[in-house]
Amino acid sequence: MNLYYLRYFVTLAHMQHYTKAAEKLCIAQPSLSHAISQMEKELGLPLFEKSGRKTTLTRFGEEFLVCAEQTLSTLDAGIASIQRSARGEGLIRLGFLRTLGVEFVPKLAADFLNANVGSDIQFTFHTGVTQNLLEGLIAKKFDLVFCSKPPAKLNLTAVPVQKQDLVLIVPKDHPLSSNHSIDLAQTAPYPQIFFDESSGMRSVVEQMFDQIGIEPHIAYETEEDQVIAGLVAQGFGIAVVPYMDLLLKLDLKILQINSPACERELFMVYDNNICLPPAVHQFCQFVLNNKFPQ
C-alpha cells in the first residue's frame, strides 16, 4: 500500500470533496482520483461513494479509515521521535554505583540540563553493583554506566572520571582503633568483611592484598559498601571501603592506609560498537570536557 495514497485517502475522507482535497494536498485532482482508484483496485472494494455534491465513505471506507489513521499516527510519532533524537534530544539511560548517586551523577545530569536549556532531554537513573551494571549495559538497558573498570574481555570503552580514596574501617573498640593510619599488612590477623564477586571493589581490594602477599581472612561478603560499614560498626569485622560521609555517622574508626597504594578509579563505560544516540554522545562529551570533584 502506497504511503502517499494513505495520506490522500485520509484527507479526502475528511474533506469529502475531490477538488478541495487535491488543493490541500497540493496535487492535481486527476492524480488524487488515480490514487483512490488504485487503492480501491488493490483492496477489491469501493472506499467512496457520491452523496449529493459530497464524496462520502462507504462502510468499507469507514472501516479502513480507522486503520489508516492509526497507521499514519504511529508513523508520524516515530518520525517525530527520530527527528528529536537527531536534534540531540531524547532519553539518556544511566546506571551507576549507589555511592555515586548522592552527588556525582545528579550533579552531572543537572549541569548538563542547565547547559542545554530548551532541549527536550530526559534521564532515567538506575543503581547497582558493577557486575549488574555492566550486564545491563551489554543488554542495552543502559546507555552509559559509571562503575569500576570492566574486564577487558567485555570489549567496552571505559574512561576514568573520578577517583575515590580507600580507607580501613574498624569498630571503635577494635585493637587497631588506636591508630590514625595503618599498613594493610597489619590487618592480616583479623576477620574481614569483603565485597562479594559482583562488586567492582572486590578486585580492587584483592589486588591490594596481592601486592603485600597476604591472604585475608574473609568472614563475611556483601554487595554494598553502606552495608559493610554497618556490619563493621556492629563488630562483625574490619573492612577496606571507599571513603564516604556516611562513615562519620557510624560508631566506627576510620584509618588511613599508608601502603600499598589505596585509590580506586571510577569509569564512565559504554559500548563503542553500537551507535549512541546524539543526546548520549553529547552527554559523554560533556562529562569528558568538564572537571568534577575527585
Side-chain angles (χ1 to χ4, degrees), residues 276-292:
L276 294 177
V280 176
H281 180 72
Q282 290 174 18
F283 182 68
C284 283
Q285 291 302 312
F286 179 82
V287 174
L288 299 177
N289 292 338
N290 289 271
K291 294 183 179 180
F292 296 92

Side-chain angles (χ1 to χ4, degrees), residues 154-170:
L154 295 181
N155 196 29
L156 297 171
T157 300
V159 183
V161 292
Q162 194 188 49
K163 292 181 180 179
Q164 289 182 323
D165 290 327
L166 302 183
V167 296
L168 179 74
I169 54 175
V170 303

Side-chain angles (χ1 to χ4, degrees), residues 182-196:
I182 197 169
D183 290 344
L184 196 60
Q186 295 175 252
T187 67
Y190 305 105
Q192 307 219 11
I193 304 172
F194 254 52
F195 291 87
D196 78 3

Side-chain angles (χ1 to χ4, degrees), residues 92 94 105 108-110 112-113 123 144 146 268 277-288:
I92 302 172
L94 301 182
V105 170
L108 278 177
F112 181 71
L113 292 176
F123 284 92
L144 300 168
F146 294 85
M268 177 175 66
V280 176
H281 180 72
Q282 290 174 18
F283 182 68
C284 283
Q285 291 302 312
F286 179 82
V287 174
L288 299 177

Side-chain angles (χ1 to χ4, degrees), residues 193-241:
I193 304 172
F194 254 52
F195 291 87
D196 78 3
E197 298 286 352
S198 65
S199 171
M201 268 297 297
R202 176 62 174 251
S203 62
V204 174
V205 177
E206 285 180 337
Q207 287 171 13
M208 291 174 64
F209 279 98
D210 286 344
Q211 288 180 51
I212 59 176
I214 288 179
E215 185 77 24
H217 172 205
I218 301 176
Y220 300 96
E221 297 181 19
T222 189
E223 300 92 348
E224 297 286 353
D225 38 17
Q226 297 98 324
V227 177
I228 290 179
L231 291 172
V232 170
Q234 295 302 318
F236 284 89
I238 64 176
V240 177
V241 297

